[in-house]
Amino acid sequence: MSGPADSVEIAHAEPTSTFLEDGSAPTKHMVATDGVIDDEGDVAPSPVFGSRKPDFLERESMRAARNPCIYFWISFVISLLLGVCGMVFGDFAVAVDNAGWNSRGTKIADRHTQFMLVNDFRFSLWGDNENDEVWTDLTTRVQDGWETDDDDRRRRLLAPMEPQSASFGDITTLGHRFQRAMQMDPMQSVREAAVMPPRLNQHQLRNLQLVNNTEGTLLEGCDTSFYTSEQLYDDSHLWPIWRTKKVEDSFFNSPLIQELCEEEEKTQKILQDKGQCMTCSDGKTCLQPYSIVFYARLTVTDGMKLSCSDLATAWTDEGHEADHATSSVFQQCVEDLNSFYNLDRDGMKLPDSCPEGFWPSLIDERYPDPNLYVQFSSSIFATYSDYSVIEDMYDDADSYARGSSEIKGAYDTQWEDFVELSLDNQLLIDMSLAVGSAFMTCIAMMLHTRSPFITVVGLAQIVISFPLAFFFYTFVAQLEFFPFLNFIGIFVLFALGADDVFVAVDKWKNARLKYPDATTEEVAAVAMPDAAEAMFLTTLTTSVAFFGTAVCPVAPIRCFAVFVGLMVVFDYMMCVLLVFPALAIWDRSDKANRCCCYWNCAACFKRCKCCGEKSPEESEMEQDEIGNSAHSARKSIASAKSYDTESTKHQDGLIHRILKRFFGCLQLLKWPLLLICGGSLVWCAIVASGIELPTSSDVRLYNENDNQYEQNFVWRKNLLYKALEAKGGSTAHVIWGVRPGDTGDLNNPDEWSQLLIDETFNPSTTEAQVYLRDFCDRFFSEDFAEVVDEGYLCPMNAFDEWLQKQSSNTTSTAYSTHCDGATSLPMSEDKFDLCMYNWGQEVREYRVLARQDKITTMYFSFNSRVRYDSPFEDLEDEWNLLEKWMKSQDAPEGADHAFFTSEDFWWYDTNGAMLDTAFQSAGIAMAAAAAVILFSSRSLILTIFATVTVGYVLTSVMAMLVAVGWTLGFLESILFAILIGISCDFVIHFAHAYTVLKGHASREERTLFALLSMGPSILAAAFTTFSAALIMLFTVITFFQKFAIVLFLTVIQSLAGSFIVFLTLTICLGPSDPTYLVDRMMQKCYGCCGKDYDIQAENTTEHGEVNDERRENKKVENEKTEGVAEGEDSL
């Protein structure tokens, strides 16, 4: 283990700074330990500063390096205390919060928020006309979040879970929470309930009724009402999906019916032995599963008494196989279902052509194909829906029969309980791999720094950044919602934090190599400001990129962006406060006994007397020795000034030799590379622009081949009922009486909103009555709307019919008391509100709500042609069509603020917000990178080069994702935010290093300097991130897989962009004096204001000192010229 460089010893004592803390030079009367005194008693000039004074940052760096342990421990203790306070008093808990995955604060979101408040509280509001308690509460208090599923805002992952019934409202497992947290549509599971009860004819009903009383049947003594009740589809039963192994096979063939029957019997036996299925009167026999086998038993003679082989024989002998094979039974039914059946509207009312006992879950959506094959089918076992039973079934799932020669099956429940339970185990495994990626970061830091001490400090810097960011997130930013997504930011932080450590260490090493005789304080004055500036630039751009993603109106993504941005900022602060003092301790240690200060700094609160460092008393005793060594010191300083470049060739490490060879190739091929880079950028931009939005809000956390549970989900989408469900459209609503808005905390799903009443709504006027009465007829005459049920009437039309009926034959007390004999609409304005309110109370009309005897809100529903899983373009077109039609209506005053809304359009809004956020945050990141580079480099050309490079990184990664078929869904949008945050760092390091050489220097010299000074740090950071991403590629959950892929591709393209695109631009077109244009512009601006603008001299180096080598060479050249002139004169 070696330090950055060995200090040059003078009389066994490390030389201290030549300057005082205030930057002034010591006098010859001061003690010798404050400088090196020559023979005449003058202080020798510093090898770092020459004769100039250090600036403010250099003085502070020297101050920190003079007492590094004190700075280190004070910073460590204070930051640790703040972090602990934040975690304890901020109520931190490891949790998966399933809420918030909807847009908020947008036009569409505000509309649906108000509609949901009315719809969810309609029963309470309906009976609150006089008391006004519910109305007052809704309009004056922000309601609790509608997604809150328990009283604990942050559901704890590690707390023991109580067994509950598995349902949409009871989220009981870690996997269940994580699955729901990644899903957009809160009603999706409700919409995907597996099946509806099959319709049975009288013969089949009698058959069921007889078999439960007939000895020797499979259903003897069984309650067969299970097959005709909502219990069949409403509860979570075991529901395997089956598919044929050969495309030419069909489940209507006898061999497949026999095999399916035998497989069901094997599974049924396991369920019976463990008491997991609904039994008959004997307490042992379970109800038969509903499937094609059950349909066949109902169809053939005495089917409930037959064995599987006999059933298959009877199916063939009675001609059922031939009938179904020739589609004489199902073909017309399926055609009619696809033609005019609407699942939402028609429900159980199937076309007359459908056979009795049939439901679309028995066959697949491709039936009837030209060969009339049925390749997918399903079975619903009569299992108990208690969650404890479901957990037991999950444990036994691998032992269930899954087919043999002709078919194969995949098991899960109707509510996907198995896939969610499997996520419990898999999530912990994948998280351990993610932790392994952090371990790779530690190894990379150890290899690069070659110091356990610096590695531990670097890890402490990264780890402490998390609680500090949480403290600021909770108490300063006042954000209460902490989604699980925030934890993913830790792995981003490890990559970015390691980058800061590498930059700090390399800057220190470079300074020590450049000034081998300088003191630790002087090296700190060189390295710390330079490294702090470089890290500050990348920190600024990265944090702004993450903060820019906070424009997203989806709370988890917004909170994630803010939290990760804060972690990046605090990581930078911890690097300055911890790593730099640690480097000073490292540098001051003695080569032969380095471990002293590494691990044993107990005395650091006073003054670190470590590893050969002399105490003040010892230093004073050695003043004479130091004075006697002045001559040798001057020689050492002189040798540092005349540092021979040839000798450094032998000191070049492997990485520098490789980079120099790379520079040679880059210089040789620069013009062809420039053309290739330009073409690649254009091609990537074109391909990236073709990225599409997903057609479904269901975010799957497994791939199909990962397990049978995900196969079950994928296969079930092939069933006919799924196709009918998708074709059926969705339910939308038109509402009057509320104003769009959301008054709650948009960043906290646990807060909803107040109800915002539209005080201008007044349906009692004659014009409003006529308009509202005729509105629905006009609305439903358009192609975009259908009635939700046969005979459905809007509230105003139903009220009008009631008036007409009561006027001819009064049977209602409400009519005779409050309606003043009205025969139809319009009626008396004075009586309208009271009459309509009492009508609603009498007929229990919950769509019309009154407050203090005044009609306050009113809405009706309709079937829309689009669903949440329709293509984004279709949803957008339908939204615009409806919006245009609503605005075109000439509504009278009092009824002119209606709007339409639906959950599906809310999904469309959320999905669109994701796309907008991706492009907006990309623009913010690029603008921030450009501004930072322009501010730091004062070079318009470098700013353009860096912006082009960042654009290349973004578009190239996006193009690669498009090429492999990715869409811009929820996970992809989250990962795109991470991509933007880490795509700027490498190029900013190079741009900053390019401008370090002040004044005029060739573009080749600047490019080589940037490559050699920052190349090792960039490669080390890239290797660290690359290694972390490589480990995470072995995860199973798709979120972690995609995270690793995006991280992997971003590192590759960032390296290509910085090392090839940016350096090619600089070596071909880079400015030799980057700041020239800005300097001249500033000079003119200052001149207009009557002030002078100092342009730094050409011979000023990166720290402002005079370049002695250039000055000396120029002096020698001038002397030679003068000598020649004098010789000519003498001749």
Side-chain angles (χ1 to χ4, degrees), residues 538-560:
T538 56
T539 298
L540 183 60
T541 53
T542 304
S543 59
V544 169
F546 279 110
F547 289 141
T549 309
V551 300
C552 182
V554 180
I557 294 181
R558 179 182 293 164
C559 292
F560 166 78

Side-chain angles (χ1 to χ4, degrees), residues 624-870:
D624 295 336
E625 296 181 22
I626 295 175
N628 294 332
S629 304
H631 183 66
S632 60
R634 287 196 305 274
K635 286 186 177 181
S636 299
I637 296 172
S639 64
K641 289 184 178 180
S642 59
Y643 189 67
D644 187 8
T645 306
E646 280 301 317
S647 65
T648 61
K649 293 181 180 179
H650 302 288
Q651 299 178 10
D652 281 348
L654 175 63
I655 186 63
H656 279 89
R657 294 197 298 270
I658 294 175
L659 290 176
K660 286 182 178 180
R661 289 182 179 272
F662 171 77
F663 177 79
C665 297
L666 192 69
Q667 194 172 20
L668 181 65
L669 303 173
K670 58 183 179 180
W671 294 111
L673 282 175
L674 184 63
L675 294 177
I676 294 173
C677 291
S680 300
L681 179 61
V682 173
W683 180 82
C684 291
I686 294 173
V687 176
S689 63
I691 193 166
E692 298 177 351
L693 293 173
T695 58
S696 174
S697 64
D698 193 12
V699 180
R700 306 305 302 175
L701 299 178
Y702 281 130
N703 293 314
E704 178 181 356
N705 298 322
D706 288 340
N707 52 50
Q708 63 166 317
Y709 319 124
E710 190 65 21
Q711 284 182 339
N712 179 282
F713 172 81
V714 174
W715 293 356
R716 74 172 65 180
K717 294 193 294 185
N718 292 282
L719 297 178
L720 178 60
Y721 98 92
K722 283 292 297 180
L724 296 175
E725 181 187 58
K727 186 178 69 70
S730 62
T731 302
H733 318 275
V734 176
I735 186 170
W736 288 266
V738 292
R739 294 180 289 111
D742 190 338
T743 61
D745 183 357
L746 303 183
N747 300 318
N748 186 6
D750 295 319
E751 284 191 14
W752 199 357
S753 174
Q754 297 168 283
L755 181 62
L756 303 178
I757 301 298
D758 179 15
E759 302 294 345
T760 66
F761 177 56
N762 183 13
S764 63
T765 65
T766 301
E767 295 81 4
Q769 291 183 47
V770 174
Y771 173 81
L772 294 173
R773 181 197 62 192
D774 299 337
F775 182 88
C776 281
D777 291 337
R778 297 193 305 272
F779 189 81
F780 285 114
S781 66
E782 300 292 334
D783 294 335
F784 53 68
E786 292 184 1
V787 294
V788 293
D789 291 309
E790 186 176 352
Y792 178 85
L793 292 175
C794 294
M796 288 295 287
N797 300 97
F799 179 52
D800 187 42
E801 282 194 2
W802 181 78
L803 289 175
Q804 296 177 26
K805 180 180 178 181
Q806 294 298 322
S807 63
S808 60
N809 184 17
T810 304
T811 59
S812 169
T813 305
Y815 175 81
S816 58
T817 306
H818 303 287
C819 297
D820 197 27
T823 58
S824 63
L825 294 178
M827 61 176 294
S828 171
E829 297 182 6
D830 297 337
K831 301 293 184 180
F832 174 83
D833 287 304
L834 204 55
C835 179
M836 191 174 193
Y837 163 70
N838 283 277
W839 161 75
Q841 293 291 305
E842 182 176 282
V843 302
R844 307 189 73 81
E845 177 56 77
Y846 300 105
R847 296 173 298 171
V848 177
L849 303 174
R851 183 183 188 186
Q852 300 294 313
D853 295 334
K854 183 182 184 301
I855 301 301
T856 305
T857 65
M858 180 190 307
Y859 71 91
F860 70 89
S861 304
F862 66 95
N863 275 341
S864 174
R865 296 177 297 186
V866 293
R867 287 164 37 96
Y868 70 99
D869 53 2
S870 298

Side-chain angles (χ1 to χ4, degrees), residues 286-308:
C286 287
L287 291 170
Q288 294 295 300
Y290 175 76
S291 63
I292 282 184
V293 174
F294 187 83
Y295 172 81
R297 291 188 183 279
L298 290 175
T299 304
V300 304
T301 304
D302 294 330
M304 291 297 173
K305 295 183 178 181
L306 302 178
S307 64
C308 292

